Amino acid sequence: MCGRFACSLCPNIIKNKVKESNIDITNEWVNEELFFPSFNVGPRKYIPVIRSTLNNEAIMQSMQWGFIPSWTKQYPDRQPINARSDTLIGSSIFDQSKNKGRCIIVAEGFYEWKVLKSGKKIPYYTKRKDGKLMLFAGLYALSHIDDKERYTCTIVTTDASSFFKFLHDRMPVILENNSSDVNVWISNEPWSKNQVNIMNSFKGELDCYQVTDAVGSTRNNSPDFIIPVDQLKGSISNFFKKEKDVSTTTKPLIMETKGIKRERTMDDDSSIVNLNDKKDIKKKQKITSFFNKQ
């Protein structure tokens, strides 16, 4: 499944990156003001979506994440954030949308939690290894509730790839940038084997690593959420890394305290001279010299 993702880019950067992915979108972004960039995008938030118009033009639009069927006249108790690929092959609440409401949801990467035998959940962040946008296959619908138009969407999921299975048994359908699959998916053509054949696990290279537990609450938002947990400032592993960096330096360390001067290098760890000892040595030399004269 996919219940949380990151999309921290501003609208202009998103549009430029989408065009770099060979998706010929117009400059229009419907309801752009509803989208707020975030490192921790959760359900019910407005997210960036690419869809085709009736004229087969690709446009950007902000839609609420959590699917509401077009025929619904009131808010449902359940708003699916994911649509399983196997349910789309048969009959489901997504029947109308899979024919006339296919879209692409834009992200930088997504989060998934690994469940340990103890029951503890560990968050992981997954992104493309090449740093390009993640393009999730999605479905959207236009409903009319309380005399108000509302566009909502869901992310299509499929069986996990061999790379991702250690973490979860399902993952988003990720469309390859610059591939024909992108245009086939958002086209206005009726549902067919062309779309079914697209709903496979991602074969490209991914990066997947553990991140901070702070991402667990959707109220939190920080760029730290997409940084490997062992690279965060203040982490245990980061502390030992710094200790290692200090211990390998060959630059002498000079410390002075109340008459004690200490100079230490990696080659000589015992070069410590007490200034008070130097004074005592000089006194002894003077006394010895006096008796010798006698």
Side-chain angles (χ1 to χ4, degrees), residues 132-145:
K132 293 181 179 180
L133 290 177
M134 271 195 169
L135 305 176
F136 301 145
L139 301 172
Y140 77 92
L142 170 60
S143 57
H144 295 80
I145 301 175

PDB file of all heavy atoms in Angstrom, residues 132-145:
ATOM      1  N   LYS A 132      14.775  11.231 -10.177  1.00  0.00           N
ATOM      2  CA  LYS A 132      13.655  11.784 -10.943  1.00  0.00           C
ATOM      3  C   LYS A 132      12.351  11.688 -10.152  1.00  0.00           C
ATOM      4  O   LYS A 132      12.279  11.025  -9.125  1.00  0.00           O
ATOM      5  CB  LYS A 132      13.517  11.039 -12.276  1.00  0.00           C
ATOM      6  CG  LYS A 132      14.676  11.257 -13.233  1.00  0.00           C
ATOM      7  CD  LYS A 132      14.449  10.506 -14.537  1.00  0.00           C
ATOM      8  CE  LYS A 132      15.589  10.722 -15.520  1.00  0.00           C
ATOM      9  NZ  LYS A 132      15.385   9.989 -16.798  1.00  0.00           N
ATOM     10  N   LEU A 133      11.328  12.383 -10.662  1.00  0.00           N
ATOM     11  CA  LEU A 133      10.014  12.320 -10.028  1.00  0.00           C
ATOM     12  C   LEU A 133       9.481  10.893 -10.025  1.00  0.00           C
ATOM     13  O   LEU A 133       9.747  10.107 -10.931  1.00  0.00           O
ATOM     14  CB  LEU A 133       9.018  13.210 -10.774  1.00  0.00           C
ATOM     15  CG  LEU A 133       9.190  14.728 -10.686  1.00  0.00           C
ATOM     16  CD1 LEU A 133       8.143  15.397 -11.568  1.00  0.00           C
ATOM     17  CD2 LEU A 133       9.077  15.220  -9.246  1.00  0.00           C
ATOM     18  N   MET A 134       8.712  10.572  -8.998  1.00  0.00           N
ATOM     19  CA  MET A 134       7.956   9.332  -9.000  1.00  0.00           C
ATOM     20  C   MET A 134       6.567   9.636  -9.562  1.00  0.00           C
ATOM     21  O   MET A 134       5.891  10.562  -9.098  1.00  0.00           O
ATOM     22  CB  MET A 134       7.837   8.758  -7.590  1.00  0.00           C
ATOM     23  CG  MET A 134       8.967   7.833  -7.220  1.00  0.00           C
ATOM     24  SD  MET A 134       8.577   6.850  -5.759  1.00  0.00           S
ATOM     25  CE  MET A 134       9.926   5.680  -5.823  1.00  0.00           C
ATOM     26  N   LEU A 135       6.165   8.863 -10.549  1.00  0.00           N
ATOM     27  CA  LEU A 135       4.866   9.057 -11.187  1.00  0.00           C
ATOM     28  C   LEU A 135       3.984   7.858 -10.855  1.00  0.00           C
ATOM     29  O   LEU A 135       4.151   6.772 -11.411  1.00  0.00           O
ATOM     30  CB  LEU A 135       5.040   9.205 -12.700  1.00  0.00           C
ATOM     31  CG  LEU A 135       6.018  10.301 -13.156  1.00  0.00           C
ATOM     32  CD1 LEU A 135       6.172  10.268 -14.680  1.00  0.00           C
ATOM     33  CD2 LEU A 135       5.557  11.678 -12.690  1.00  0.00           C
ATOM     34  N   PHE A 136       3.046   8.044  -9.913  1.00  0.00           N
ATOM     35  CA  PHE A 136       2.159   6.961  -9.504  1.00  0.00           C
ATOM     36  C   PHE A 136       0.938   6.897 -10.413  1.00  0.00           C
ATOM     37  O   PHE A 136       0.319   7.931 -10.713  1.00  0.00           O
ATOM     38  CB  PHE A 136       1.663   7.167  -8.068  1.00  0.00           C
ATOM     39  CG  PHE A 136       2.751   7.236  -7.032  1.00  0.00           C
ATOM     40  CD1 PHE A 136       2.615   8.076  -5.932  1.00  0.00           C
ATOM     41  CD2 PHE A 136       3.897   6.469  -7.141  1.00  0.00           C
ATOM     42  CE1 PHE A 136       3.595   8.144  -4.959  1.00  0.00           C
ATOM     43  CE2 PHE A 136       4.888   6.531  -6.174  1.00  0.00           C
ATOM     44  CZ  PHE A 136       4.739   7.370  -5.085  1.00  0.00           C
ATOM     45  N   ALA A 137       0.582   5.694 -10.841  1.00  0.00           N
ATOM     46  CA  ALA A 137      -0.684   5.523 -11.560  1.00  0.00           C
ATOM     47  C   ALA A 137      -1.822   5.767 -10.577  1.00  0.00           C
ATOM     48  O   ALA A 137      -1.800   5.271  -9.445  1.00  0.00           O
ATOM     49  CB  ALA A 137      -0.773   4.114 -12.145  1.00  0.00           C
ATOM     50  N   GLY A 138      -2.802   6.551 -10.997  1.00  0.00           N
ATOM     51  CA  GLY A 138      -3.914   6.871 -10.102  1.00  0.00           C
ATOM     52  C   GLY A 138      -5.247   6.908 -10.821  1.00  0.00           C
ATOM     53  O   GLY A 138      -5.323   6.789 -12.053  1.00  0.00           O
ATOM     54  N   LEU A 139      -6.302   7.065 -10.034  1.00  0.00           N
ATOM     55  CA  LEU A 139      -7.663   7.224 -10.550  1.00  0.00           C
ATOM     56  C   LEU A 139      -8.295   8.413  -9.844  1.00  0.00           C
ATOM     57  O   LEU A 139      -8.012   8.659  -8.666  1.00  0.00           O
ATOM     58  CB  LEU A 139      -8.502   5.970 -10.280  1.00  0.00           C
ATOM     59  CG  LEU A 139      -7.998   4.647 -10.862  1.00  0.00           C
ATOM     60  CD1 LEU A 139      -8.853   3.487 -10.332  1.00  0.00           C
ATOM     61  CD2 LEU A 139      -8.028   4.680 -12.381  1.00  0.00           C
ATOM     62  N   TYR A 140      -9.123   9.149 -10.567  1.00  0.00           N
ATOM     63  CA  TYR A 140      -9.798  10.276  -9.936  1.00  0.00           C
ATOM     64  C   TYR A 140     -11.277  10.274 -10.287  1.00  0.00           C
ATOM     65  O   TYR A 140     -11.727   9.588 -11.213  1.00  0.00           O
ATOM     66  CB  TYR A 140      -9.143  11.599 -10.355  1.00  0.00           C
ATOM     67  CG  TYR A 140      -9.507  12.081 -11.750  1.00  0.00           C
ATOM     68  CD1 TYR A 140     -10.583  12.951 -11.957  1.00  0.00           C
ATOM     69  CD2 TYR A 140      -8.777  11.679 -12.868  1.00  0.00           C
ATOM     70  CE1 TYR A 140     -10.913  13.397 -13.225  1.00  0.00           C
ATOM     71  CE2 TYR A 140      -9.100  12.119 -14.138  1.00  0.00           C
ATOM     72  CZ  TYR A 140     -10.176  12.976 -14.314  1.00  0.00           C
ATOM     73  OH  TYR A 140     -10.505  13.404 -15.571  1.00  0.00           O
ATOM     74  N   ALA A 141     -12.021  11.063  -9.514  1.00  0.00           N
ATOM     75  CA  ALA A 141     -13.466  11.187  -9.762  1.00  0.00           C
ATOM     76  C   ALA A 141     -13.909  12.599  -9.395  1.00  0.00           C
ATOM     77  O   ALA A 141     -13.316  13.246  -8.529  1.00  0.00           O
ATOM     78  CB  ALA A 141     -14.245  10.161  -8.941  1.00  0.00           C
ATOM     79  N   LEU A 142     -14.951  13.048 -10.076  1.00  0.00           N
ATOM     80  CA  LEU A 142     -15.572  14.333  -9.762  1.00  0.00           C
ATOM     81  C   LEU A 142     -16.930  14.060  -9.146  1.00  0.00           C
ATOM     82  O   LEU A 142     -17.825  13.513  -9.792  1.00  0.00           O
ATOM     83  CB  LEU A 142     -15.725  15.180 -11.028  1.00  0.00           C
ATOM     84  CG  LEU A 142     -16.570  16.452 -10.890  1.00  0.00           C
ATOM     85  CD1 LEU A 142     -15.978  17.394  -9.848  1.00  0.00           C
ATOM     86  CD2 LEU A 142     -16.711  17.140 -12.251  1.00  0.00           C
ATOM     87  N   SER A 143     -17.079  14.418  -7.871  1.00  0.00           N
ATOM     88  CA  SER A 143     -18.354  14.225  -7.181  1.00  0.00           C
ATOM     89  C   SER A 143     -18.967  15.582  -6.847  1.00  0.00           C
ATOM     90  O   SER A 143     -18.279  16.605  -6.835  1.00  0.00           O
ATOM     91  CB  SER A 143     -18.154  13.405  -5.891  1.00  0.00           C
ATOM     92  OG  SER A 143     -17.215  14.043  -5.041  1.00  0.00           O
ATOM     93  N   HIS A 144     -20.273  15.567  -6.591  1.00  0.00           N
ATOM     94  CA  HIS A 144     -20.986  16.791  -6.215  1.00  0.00           C
ATOM     95  C   HIS A 144     -21.671  16.549  -4.871  1.00  0.00           C
ATOM     96  O   HIS A 144     -22.660  15.816  -4.783  1.00  0.00           O
ATOM     97  CB  HIS A 144     -22.028  17.157  -7.281  1.00  0.00           C
ATOM     98  CG  HIS A 144     -21.418  17.522  -8.608  1.00  0.00           C
ATOM     99  ND1 HIS A 144     -20.982  16.573  -9.510  1.00  0.00           N
ATOM    100  CD2 HIS A 144     -21.165  18.744  -9.166  1.00  0.00           C
ATOM    101  CE1 HIS A 144     -20.495  17.185 -10.581  1.00  0.00           C
ATOM    102  NE2 HIS A 144     -20.590  18.493 -10.401  1.00  0.00           N
ATOM    103  N   ILE A 145     -21.095  17.148  -3.849  1.00  0.00           N
ATOM    104  CA  ILE A 145     -21.613  16.984  -2.490  1.00  0.00           C
ATOM    105  C   ILE A 145     -21.886  18.367  -1.913  1.00  0.00           C
ATOM    106  O   ILE A 145     -21.039  19.255  -1.968  1.00  0.00           O
ATOM    107  CB  ILE A 145     -20.603  16.217  -1.600  1.00  0.00           C
ATOM    108  CG1 ILE A 145     -20.321  14.827  -2.193  1.00  0.00           C
ATOM    109  CG2 ILE A 145     -21.121  16.080  -0.173  1.00  0.00           C
ATOM    110  CD1 ILE A 145     -19.254  14.053  -1.462  1.00  0.00           C
TER     111      ILE A 145
END
